[in-house]
Amino acid sequence: VTDAAGATSTASLTVRVGNEPPAVTLALQGNTTFFTDGRVLQYAASATDKEDGAAPASAVVVQVDYLEQGFDRTVVEQGHRQADAVSGFSVGQRLIEGGDCLACHAVDKPSIGPSYQEVAKRYAGQAEAEDYLVQKIIQGGGGVWGEQAMAAHPQLSEQDARAMVRYIRSLGVEAPAVPRLPAAGTYRLDAHRRAENSEGMYFVRAAFTDAGAEGSEPITGQQLIVLRHPKIEAEVFDRSERVLVANDAIARAYDGSFIAFDGIDLTGVTAVTAFTLPPSTGTDAGRLELRLDASDGPLVGTINAGAREGEVRAALQATEGVHDLFIVFRAAQDTGHPLAQLDWLRVEL
């Protein structure tokens, strides 16, 4: 493509033919949606390939990463099958691929801006370079690589920008040894205890790279499971009906209103606690019905909202497997007035 000023940019796409991607299976014992403090994760990973057959356990890479905040799960799910299984910087790579970075930069060749490999070489061995580049990404600027200025990215957290910088800088050096786990075993989830934000997510990955086929390069297959903190902010629902979000909470809901969270594993969940606030009109606070897969689906728990601000807990009927979890607002008698406000929910395992 060439713009009106005569600047040209080129992109290419490689289509691989003749090598079936390997199939990777990652199994976790227990809940596959939430982590709990100090949980000992029991896992098993395996891989098979159409051309190579069953993969030896020693060739299957298993990694566990903890990310504090700011990561778009959709970015992970869209790109993880092509992720580099032998890189310790896949979080930064996914952030770059999910943003606008590749519009101006390429990994190994100049574009509007320098290639990431050029950036890595320029700042190799400079201890202070990481902080500098983090601020460069967030604040933008120019003059280092020519007249073209780099756009600011104020929407990025410092943590996300740092993950991106670490990935970029890794391209200029020999790939580091990967902290990897055996194909099957246990892993204690305690990284969140050492983080500034303990309400982040664990990314559990299993990957295998096949031997390639005649005329086709090796392909990496990968499966990813994301474990989230047991506290769920009410306003991050996937679906809703007749609710108003304000001040990071469900501020207004009526009899029959609902919010829903898709794909929640309720295996081992014994109770749910809700933080509610009284209705702004001072009327009946109502109750929260926890239902499976539909707003009128099976009822597995009921939380009676209090007249005062605070936590309200209710036992959850034993439920196995992954379901869409609906939180339905109900009134003792429908008067048309709003019911309790809902700030967050927390599951107990």
Side-chain angles (χ1 to χ4, degrees), residues 73-138:
R73 179 173 174 171
T74 303
V75 173
V76 183
E77 293 175 339
Q78 288 176 342
H80 76 267
R81 291 189 183 279
Q82 282 72 41
D84 183 357
V86 297
S87 171
F89 303 94
S90 54
V91 170
Q93 181 183 4
R94 298 274 74 76
L95 287 167
I96 287 173
E97 292 176 352
D100 62 356
C101 306
L102 298 181
C104 296
H105 300 277
V107 172
D108 56 358
K109 59 187 177 182
S111 181
I112 296 174
S115 73
Y116 288 136
Q117 288 182 350
E118 289 177 312
V119 175
K121 291 177 182 178
R122 169 169 285 193
Y123 296 101
Q126 300 182 31
E128 70 283 358
E130 181 172 304
D131 290 338
Y132 167 75
L133 292 172
V134 166
Q135 295 307 312
K136 191 78 169 181
I137 290 175
I138 296 174

Side-chain angles (χ1 to χ4, degrees), residues 242-265:
R242 295 181 67 217
V243 299
L244 173 68
V245 175
N247 300 321
D248 296 328
I250 305 301
R252 196 171 288 259
Y254 305 87
D255 184 62
S257 297
F258 69 79
I259 58 175
F261 302 92
D262 295 341
I264 301 296
D265 188 356

